[in-house]
């Protein structure tokens, strides 16, 4: 049986398929980004999931697609951890952009991820092509969860959020300077911590012009830097994957009009599209 994983920094979805492409098991672990988390954390997150332990003997192949798997060293480290854990399985590790592309389309297009982090590629129908190498949440990641989390915190402290919104924000989160600085500068995985604040944008009691402006500016930066860098941008569909994209679809479409872009599929989680891909192209189920 084939075990497919779609992993980010916040969470990782796992689906076990039988030879007919039917779903045998679905489960979820915490994020498994090997560029962010130390090996001992990656191992413990695997080991704490009882469902994964139970299916180890059934798994003949693991295909892991994840954030942080676009460069050799973290990819090699994670592959070794997965090979040790799923000790009777063939293990393949690839970057999350590949999963996003396979889930979004079978035709040429630009595929974008907007989740905890952000990224983009051109998909020619078979392979992904990167125009800009991602430098992660500190230097890049426009329009991602951690990008918006940082914006919210800054706006709160600079008092540009608005009084009512600031009060609601403060009720939802511990915004003391000590807590924020400890989590950002001393604790593990600050990108996930920062991204956790982005939920406020989509769950606040009032959705107003502040949120629209916040998201619009982020999407504008993302499109300028991570979409328009592709010469094919105005000639192929632009697909988006991830929770931030899913909940911001209307604003993404507004921004895209300025650049004469054609928005294609907007998908919250790529795992369902991956199942379809595996049925048709890997298992070749008729």
């Amino acid at each position: 049986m084939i075990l497919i994983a779609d992993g980010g920094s916040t969470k990782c979805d796992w689906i076990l398929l039988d030879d007919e492409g039917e779903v045998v098991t679905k489960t979820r672990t915490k994020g498994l980004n090997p560029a962010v988390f130390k090996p001992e954390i990656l191992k413990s997150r695997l080991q704490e999931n009882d469902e994964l332990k139970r299916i180890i003997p059934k798994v003949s192949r693991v295909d892991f697609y994840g954030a942080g798997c676009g460069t050799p060293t973290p990819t090699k480290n994670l592959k070794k951890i997965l090979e040790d854990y799923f000790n009777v399985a063939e293990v393949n590790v690839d970057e999350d952009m590949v999963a996003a592309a396979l889930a979004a389309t079978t035709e040429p297009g630009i595929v974008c991820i907007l989740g905890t982090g952000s990224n983009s590629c051109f998909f020619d129908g078979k392979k992904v092509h990167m125009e800009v190498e991602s430098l992660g949440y500190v230097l890049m990641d426009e329009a991602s969860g951690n990008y918006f989390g940082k914006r919210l915190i800054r706006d709160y402290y600079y008092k540009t959020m608005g009084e009512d919104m600031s009060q609601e924000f403060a009720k939802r989160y511990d915004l003391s300077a000590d807590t924020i600085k400890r989590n950002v500068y001393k604790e593990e995985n600050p990108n996930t911590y920062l991204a956790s604040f982005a939920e406020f944008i989509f769950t606040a009691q009032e959705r107003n012009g502040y949120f629209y402006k916040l998201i619009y500016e982020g999407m504008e930066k993302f499109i300028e830097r991570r979409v328009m860098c592709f010469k094919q941008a105005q000639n192929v569909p632009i697909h988006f994957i991830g929770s931030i994209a899913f909940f911001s679809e209307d604003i993404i479409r507004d921004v895209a009009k300025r650049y004469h872009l054609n928005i294609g599929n907007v998908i919250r989680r790529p795992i369902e599209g991956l199942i379809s891909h595996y049925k048709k192209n890997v298992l070749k189920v008729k």
Side-chain angles (χ1 to χ4, degrees):
M1 295 187 187
I2 298 180
L3 182 62
I4 310 167
D6 170 43
S9 295
T10 304
K11 59 185 178 298
C12 180
D13 289 318
W14 301 79
I15 288 187
L16 181 66
L17 299 180
D18 65 18
D19 294 341
E20 299 301 316
E22 296 301 318
V23 175
V24 177
T25 299
K26 280 187 179 184
T27 190
R28 176 176 286 179
T29 62
K30 294 177 182 176
L32 295 169
N33 185 334
V36 173
F37 302 118
K38 295 177 181 178
E40 54 267 29
I41 293 176
L42 299 174
K43 291 176 185 177
S44 68
R45 291 187 170 187
L46 285 171
Q47 292 165 352
E48 66 189 19
N49 185 288
D50 292 335
E51 194 61 34
L52 286 183
K53 288 179 186 176
R54 187 183 66 79
I55 64 174
I56 287 174
K58 301 178 181 179
V59 179
S60 60
R61 171 174 160 182
V62 178
D63 285 357
F64 186 98
Y65 302 94
C69 298
T71 51
T73 299
T75 302
K76 181 180 177 181
N77 292 340
L78 180 60
K79 188 173 190 295
K80 177 64 167 60
I81 290 169
L82 292 172
E83 285 174 338
D84 289 344
Y85 192 75
F86 298 100
N87 51 26
V88 295
E90 170 196 349
V91 174
N92 305 293
V93 177
D94 214 330
E95 58 187 315
D96 54 353
M97 283 302 333
V98 175
L102 295 176
T105 183
T106 58
E107 302 294 330
I110 293 169
V111 180
C112 308
I113 294 176
L114 294 180
T116 300
S118 66
N119 209 342
S120 65
C121 74
F122 173 71
F123 181 59
D124 65 12
K126 293 182 178 179
K127 294 182 179 180
V128 301
H129 304 273
M130 309 297 289
E131 184 66 26
V132 178
E133 186 170 346
S134 176
L135 297 177
Y137 75 98
V138 175
L139 297 174
M140 291 185 174
D141 273 4
E142 292 85 358
S144 67
N146 70 69
Y147 167 89
F148 287 121
K150 283 185 279 191
R151 278 291 310 270
L152 287 168
I153 294 169
R154 283 201 296 263
D155 287 358
Y156 174 81
Y157 268 87
Y158 285 133
K159 299 181 175 17
T160 58
M161 185 181 279
E163 185 62 31
D164 291 344
M165 200 63 63
S166 293
Q167 289 179 7
E168 186 181 348
F169 192 46
K171 287 179 182 177
R172 294 268 292 275
Y173 302 94
D174 181 352
L175 297 175
S176 69
D178 285 344
T179 298
I180 291 171
K181 287 190 285 186
R182 184 183 73 250
N183 278 282
V184 171
Y185 299 112
K186 293 185 177 181
E187 299 293 343
E188 298 279 356
N189 51 288
N191 61 325
T192 306
Y193 169 74
L194 290 168
S196 69
F197 291 93
E199 182 183 15
F200 180 70
I201 298 172
F202 307 105
T203 59
Q205 291 181 4
E206 181 186 353
R207 295 293 300 277
N208 59 23
Y210 166 76
F211 288 128
Y212 184 90
K213 182 173 183 289
L214 183 75
I215 297 171
Y216 193 99
E217 289 175 354
M219 295 304 168
E220 197 171 41
K221 287 181 179 179
F222 181 84
I223 286 177
E224 286 176 354
R225 298 171 185 176
R226 302 310 300 264
V227 174
M228 298 306 295
C229 61
F230 296 101
K231 64 179 183 294
Q232 305 93 337
Q234 292 174 323
N235 300 313
V236 297
I238 319 295
H239 306 287
F240 285 84
I241 305 285
S243 295
I244 297 295
F246 181 80
F247 290 114
S248 306
E249 181 177 353
D250 55 341
I251 301 177
I252 290 173
R253 293 186 181 278
D254 286 349
V255 177
K257 290 175 185 176
R258 284 193 54 210
Y259 297 88
H260 307 288
L261 300 175
N262 173 28
I263 301 301
N265 298 317
V266 180
I267 302 168
R268 186 174 183 181
R269 297 188 184 95
I271 198 72
E272 297 302 328
L274 275 178
I275 293 172
S276 177
H277 167 76
Y278 270 75
K279 282 184 177 181
K280 294 176 183 176
N281 303 298
V282 178
L283 299 169
K284 300 188 185 302
V285 178
K286 295 182 179 179

